Amino acid sequence: MMKKVIVACGGAVATSTVAANKIRELAKREGIPVEVSQCRVNELESKKDNVDLIVTTAKVKKDYGVPVVHGVAFISGVNIAATEEKILDVLKD
């Protein structure tokens, strides 16, 4: 079953692209079919429907009714394994 992931950052360009590519690589490595799209954090409310996971590179406190993982590790290189584990917990569910 295809999992849908939204990757959000402030501008929907630089950091979300890096994180989105890392998530695609992770899903491929784990054999999980995934559709990854990108948006700005301020667009999440309108794009959250039918999404399995939201990954942000910006701080988000709002509850969208969808699991949210802070993906700054993909940018900083710190705690990548823990972030990947959180993402896989949702995608394998």
Side-chain angles (χ1 to χ4, degrees):
M1 181 175 177
M2 179 75 69
K3 296 288 187 170
K4 292 187 178 186
V5 178
I6 292 180
V7 181
C9 69
V13 182
T15 60
S16 66
T17 300
V18 171
N21 288 336
K22 297 286 188 184
I23 293 165
R24 286 184 189 103
E25 290 169 14
L26 174 64
K28 183 176 181 180
R29 187 170 70 229
E30 296 293 325
I32 301 168
V34 68
E35 177 185 311
V36 181
S37 59
Q38 295 165 238
C39 73
R40 291 183 172 98
V41 169
N42 63 3
E43 297 174 306
L44 282 172
E45 186 63 43
S46 65
K47 296 184 179 268
K48 67 179 173 47
D49 294 338
N50 301 313
V51 170
D52 298 293
L53 174 65
I54 295 171
V55 178
T56 68
T57 58
K59 289 283 186 190
V60 174
K61 294 182 180 178
K62 183 172 179 162
D63 181 358
Y64 294 98
V66 175
V68 176
V69 172
H70 191 55
V72 76
F74 294 128
I75 310 308
S76 69
V78 178
N79 292 326
I80 290 176
T83 301
E84 288 181 340
E85 190 173 319
K86 289 177 187 173
I87 290 169
L88 289 173
D89 284 347
V90 175
L91 296 183
K92 288 181 175 179
D93 191 21

